[in-house]
Amino acid sequence: MLDVHLYSSLSAVEIAGLVSRGTVTAREVVDTALAVGVERDGALRAFTALWADAARARAAEVDAEVARGVVLPLAGVPIAVKASEGARSAQNRRLVAAGCVPIGATSVPRRGTGWQTYGSTDRGPTLNPLNPDWSPGGSSAGSAAAVGAGLVPLATGSDGAGSVRIPAAWCGVIGFKPTNGLLPARDRAGLNSPGVITRDPADAAAYLRAVVPAHSPAPAARTLRVSWTPTLGYAETAPDVAACALHAVHRIARAGLCRLVGHPVELRDPAPAWTALRAGTRDGGAEALARGNAQVLRDAFEETDLLATPTTPRPPHGHDGPGTHMSVALTWAFNLSGHPAITLPAGRTPDGEPVGLQLIARHHADALLLDTAGGWHRTLARARCA
C-alpha cells in the first residue's frame, strides 16, 4: 500500500501519473483508499457503502491494461460515487473507461425532507470534515466530505440547484457544474447536471476531458474581465460572506489575473421559474422571468468574461437545518440558465466558517473556466499559506 498521508495529499492527476509510469499499481492505490475509508469514515460517515471486491477487481483490470500499453488518463484513480446516481451513470461509465476505480457510494439526503443540504447514512448524519458541528452541504454531501477528508481525490455528484457547488464550498474543496447538456441530465427538466468534486482544479479539468473528450480546449491566456455581485440582485447575502469572497477577488485582481469591471448583474429571483420547470408546469409569468434573466446574462457576457459571486449567501448551518435561509439562492439561477459554474475556497469568515467563491462563464466556455480556476486557486492557496 501507499503511505496513507501521501495518498491523501495526492491529486487524481498525480495518482494517474504514478500508476501509468509503473511507480505504483492501481491495486496498491485502491487498497490504500479502502484502508483509509475504513479508518476514517467511521466518524465522518461520508460513505453509505464500500465496494471493496469490485474495486479490487477493477484495479486489476487497470493494471493489466497499463501493462499492455493502454493509455488511461486517470489510471487507478479511486473515486467516490454519489449514491443517488450510481456507478452506471454516464459520467461514471466514462470515468471508469478513463481508468478510474469506483470504491463506494456516498451519502445523500433522505427522501421527503424540505431541505437538502445534508447527508444521511444508517450510522447517522454525514459530518463536515472541517467541523463536525456543521452540515457538509448537499445534496452531494458524502462526495464533498470524502474529498475534503482525503478519502478520495475525486468524487462524482449531480447539481440541480447547487448540489455540487454548495457542499464543495462548505467542505473547503472545489465543485464544478459543466454547461447543461454536455452530459445527460439526471431529470426530465434538464436542470440536474452531472458534476465533480475535487481538491485541485486540474483534476476537474481531467474529469471534463474524460467525460466530454470532444470538448474544445481553453483559448489563449489573457487578463479576464470579471463582474462581481454579492447578491445577483435578490439574495440576502451575509456581509461577512460577501466580504470574504470579494477579498479573494481583489487578491486575484492584484495578482494581475483579472480585471474587475463595473457591469452590474441584476437578476430576478429565479425561484418561480426553477420550480415551474422542475414540476413540468406551464406558467407564463415564470417563463417570462426565465427569459428576462437569460437576456440579462447574455448582455452581461458581452461586457465581461466571468461573473463572480459568493457560492452560498451564508456559511454552513448546523445539523438542525438552514431555517428560513435559502442556501441555493446564488447557485440555482445557473442551473436554469445552463451556464458552467465552479466554486473555489475563498477563505474564512471572522468566525472561521468556510466561504466559497463561485465563478460563472459563458455557455460552453467550460475549459476557459477550469483553466482560470486553476490559476486563481493557486494564487489563493499561496495567500493562505503566507
Side-chain angles (χ1 to χ4, degrees):
M1 291 199 309
L2 288 175
D3 175 81
V4 168
H5 296 293
L6 172 63
Y7 164 76
S8 292
S9 71
L10 291 171
S11 70
V13 170
E14 288 170 335
I15 289 172
L18 292 172
V19 172
S20 296
R21 292 191 297 271
T23 306
V24 297
T25 65
R27 176 61 186 266
E28 288 174 311
V29 175
V30 167
D31 280 344
T32 305
L34 291 168
V36 169
V38 169
E39 174 190 342
R40 297 183 187 174
D41 196 49
L44 186 67
R45 302 190 285 264
F47 283 99
T48 58
L50 286 174
W51 303 326
D53 292 344
R56 291 187 174 109
R58 174 57 189 151
E61 293 173 353
V62 170
D63 285 331
E65 291 178 83
V66 170
R68 294 197 306 270
V70 177
V71 176
L72 297 172
L74 291 171
V77 174
I79 64 171
V81 174
K82 185 175 181 178
S84 58
E85 118 178 68
R88 297 301 300 165
S89 71
Q91 67 172 341
N92 283 300
R93 291 198 308 271
R94 294 174 191 181
L95 287 169
V96 168
C100 290
V101 181
I103 68 164
T106 56
S107 67
V108 295
R110 294 186 305 275
R111 292 185 180 275
T113 53
W115 52 281
Q116 297 290 297
T117 45
Y118 72 102
S120 176
T121 76
D122 58 7
R123 296 169 287 140
T126 303
L127 304 184
N128 189 314
L130 299 179
N131 186 324
D133 293 333
W134 298 331
S135 166
S139 63
S140 305
S143 287
V147 172
L151 307 187
V152 289
L154 186 152
T156 63
S158 54
D159 191 314
S163 290
V164 162
R165 288 162 287 162
I166 292 167
W170 288 1
C171 291
V173 291
I174 293 160
F176 169 58
K177 180 197 82 68
T179 299
N180 290 27
L182 282 183
L183 286 159
R186 297 197 59 245
D187 64 339
R188 287 178 295 178
L191 292 167
N192 197 344
S193 174
V196 71
I197 297 172
T198 70
R199 294 188 298 272
D200 189 325
D203 288 350
Y207 157 89
L208 183 66
R209 291 192 296 271
V211 299
V212 192
H215 197 68
S216 57
R222 58 187 174 86
T223 302
L224 299 181
R225 300 164 299 170
V226 174
S227 291
W228 159 259
T229 171
T231 68
L232 287 172
Y234 59 84
E236 297 179 0
T237 304
D240 285 347
V241 168
C244 179
L246 180 58
H247 180 72
V249 174
H250 282 156
R251 191 178 293 276
I252 294 299
R254 289 195 298 271
L257 298 181
C258 77
R259 177 170 60 87
L260 282 169
V261 296
H263 186 85
V265 179
E266 299 282 326
L267 303 179
R268 292 173 59 194
D269 187 343
W274 187 95
T275 302
L277 183 59
R278 180 66 178 269
T281 58
R282 295 298 302 270
D283 182 320
E287 292 171 0
L289 188 160
R291 288 195 299 271
N293 279 356
Q295 185 61 55
V296 171
L297 291 170
R298 281 194 294 271
D299 292 344
F301 281 115
E302 291 294 323
E303 305 294 333
T304 192
D305 300 300
L306 295 174
L307 306 182
T309 79
T311 306
T312 60
R314 292 185 176 271
H317 54 70
H319 296 283
D320 55 348
T324 59
H325 300 304
M326 290 293 291
S327 300
V328 300
L330 294 167
T331 51
W332 61 351
F334 306 107
N335 295 89
L336 192 63
S337 71
H339 290 86
I342 193 168
T343 179
L344 305 175
R348 303 282 188 115
T349 68
D351 290 332
E353 301 147 321
V355 174
L357 173 64
Q358 178 178 223
L359 303 177
I360 304 99
R362 295 179 182 88
H363 292 130
H364 301 288
D366 301 62
L368 171 66
L369 180 63
L370 290 167
D371 184 64
T372 301
W376 285 37
H377 183 64
R378 288 188 294 273
T379 299
L380 293 173
R382 285 195 297 268
R384 287 192 292 272
C385 294

